[in-house]
Amino acid sequence: MSAILRLVRFLATDGRTYYGDAILPKGVTDIAQAKQAHIVVGDIFGQHQVTDQVADIRFLLSPLAPSDVGTVRCLGLNYALHAKESNMPEPKFPILFYKPATSLGSPSDPIPVHPMAQEGEGLDYECELVIVIGKRCSDVSEADALKHVLGFCVGNDVSHRDWQIKRGGGQWSLGKGFDGWAPYGPGIVTTNVIPDPQKLRIWTKVNGKTVQDGETNDMIFGVVQTISFLSRGTTLMPGDLIFTGTPSGVGMGRKPQVWLKNKDVVEVGLEQVGTCTNKVEFSQPKAKI
């Protein structure tokens, strides 16, 4: 079985959708810039082969097909500096919430803002390292945790603070689970390329201006701790995604606070992985006939 380095799912110029191993130009690490990929055949979570067949990429899709996605778990308040800017103590245990699979989007999809999410204030961005589970695991040790990881993506945990905090009764998923509010990608970089996920720069740009610029070593609960903890009594399955929290610099933590607006362009990026660039699009209420 050939080792995948940078797994992508893409629409090719021949009109077909493939899994592939991205081919990057020399000196380039952003998968979003890939123009070609070696086609991967077989089960990406099991027996597969990276073939010699090369396909031209028309555009990148979300890294996992919807049928391959499992549970989408997310951590809150998982960076020390983010906890500080939020005026909240560092948690003693990971703060867990969930997003529905319908919140997932591709690295270039628009971020749709439903009229419900246009009420009040608080449309916010959160760049996050995303863990993709590759092998079933339960009660796994921290020492063995990375053996069960397919790879890493970058994602945007789009949030509406009013619905998350003021209106949601403290259940964060309500303000974070709208359709299309978790674009991720641009591909899945395996542990063959990233053996240590706690040494990566992570950032967000809004309309080209850097608003978050952090390091994954600021995580309160690192990748192996997170996987080990979440697998205690709960089996993690291939295709499960774990959004691991965001660094400081979110709109809510700024003085004055800064919220996303219609037509804003949001870029989230992770070193050795690449960028997702998504445009905020306010939708209009549906006409009642």
Side-chain angles (χ1 to χ4, degrees):
M1 183 168 63
S2 305
I4 298 173
L5 300 180
R6 298 172 179 87
L7 181 68
V8 291
R9 191 171 69 92
F10 63 98
L11 178 67
T13 54
D14 65 7
R16 300 177 64 184
T17 297
Y18 299 99
Y19 276 113
D21 196 355
I23 301 171
L24 295 181
K26 185 177 181 180
V28 173
T29 58
D30 185 351
I31 293 175
Q33 297 186 39
K35 302 299 182 185
Q36 293 183 314
H38 287 281
I39 292 175
V40 174
V41 297
D43 180 4
I44 60 169
F45 301 115
Q47 293 296 322
H48 60 262
Q49 180 183 5
V50 180
T51 70
D52 292 332
Q53 184 180 354
V54 174
D56 294 326
I57 297 172
R58 183 176 175 187
F59 59 84
L60 294 172
L61 304 168
S62 54
L64 292 181
S67 59
D68 287 331
V69 173
T71 301
V72 184
R73 296 174 175 84
C74 308
L75 297 191
L77 216 67
N78 193 36
Y79 279 70
L81 291 176
H82 177 48
K84 184 177 180 180
E85 75 174 351
S86 302
N87 295 314
M88 298 178 70
E90 293 185 13
K92 295 182 180 180
F93 300 96
I95 297 174
L96 176 65
F97 63 96
Y98 294 82
K99 286 196 175 220
T102 50
S103 69
L104 297 174
S106 88
S108 59
D109 279 346
I111 298 169
V113 182
H114 187 275
M116 177 179 171
Q118 296 174 36
E119 300 172 11
E121 290 186 322
L123 187 61
D124 212 344
Y125 50 81
E126 293 191 6
C127 60
E128 307 208 2
L129 179 150
V130 181
I131 305 166
V132 183
I133 299 298
K135 295 180 181 178
R136 179 186 176 121
C137 61
S138 180
D139 294 313
V140 69
S141 68
E142 292 183 15
D144 290 334
L146 288 181
K147 296 177 183 177
H148 300 270
V149 172
L150 179 64
F152 307 100
C153 303
V154 64
N156 187 354
D157 174 20
V158 183
S159 306
H160 190 287
R161 302 306 184 184
D162 272 7
W163 280 114
Q164 176 193 352
I165 301 169
K166 295 180 182 179
R167 303 182 178 194
Q171 53 171 325
W172 288 10
S173 291
L174 182 60
K176 290 170 171 281
F178 288 94
D179 289 350
W181 278 31
Y184 75 114
I188 300 170
V189 178
T190 67
T191 53
N192 295 303
V193 177
I194 302 178
D196 185 354
Q198 305 305 148
K199 295 181 178 180
L200 304 173
R201 178 173 167 250
I202 186 168
W203 68 90
T204 299
K205 295 180 181 180
V206 177
N207 299 326
K209 178 182 178 181
T210 300
V211 289
Q212 289 183 282
D213 194 357
E215 301 283 342
T216 55
N217 62 12
D218 189 44
M219 283 185 187
I220 298 167
F221 305 101
V223 168
V224 297
Q225 292 171 293
T226 295
I227 294 170
S228 179
F229 179 84
L230 294 182
S231 74
R232 291 172 63 184
T234 302
T235 301
L236 303 182
M237 297 294 291
D240 283 1
L241 303 178
I242 305 172
F243 282 65
T244 57
T246 195
S248 61
V250 297
M252 181 177 64
R254 293 180 168 270
K255 296 181 180 179
Q257 293 176 322
V258 177
W259 307 124
L260 294 174
K261 304 180 299 300
N262 190 30
K263 306 302 181 184
D264 279 348
V265 176
V266 186
E267 173 194 301
V268 294
L270 180 64
E271 185 180 1
Q272 295 298 316
V273 173
T275 55
C276 298
T277 304
N278 308 90
K279 187 175 183 179
V280 176
E281 289 191 358
F282 282 29
S283 59
Q284 299 300 315
K286 294 181 179 179
K288 296 181 179 179
I289 301 174

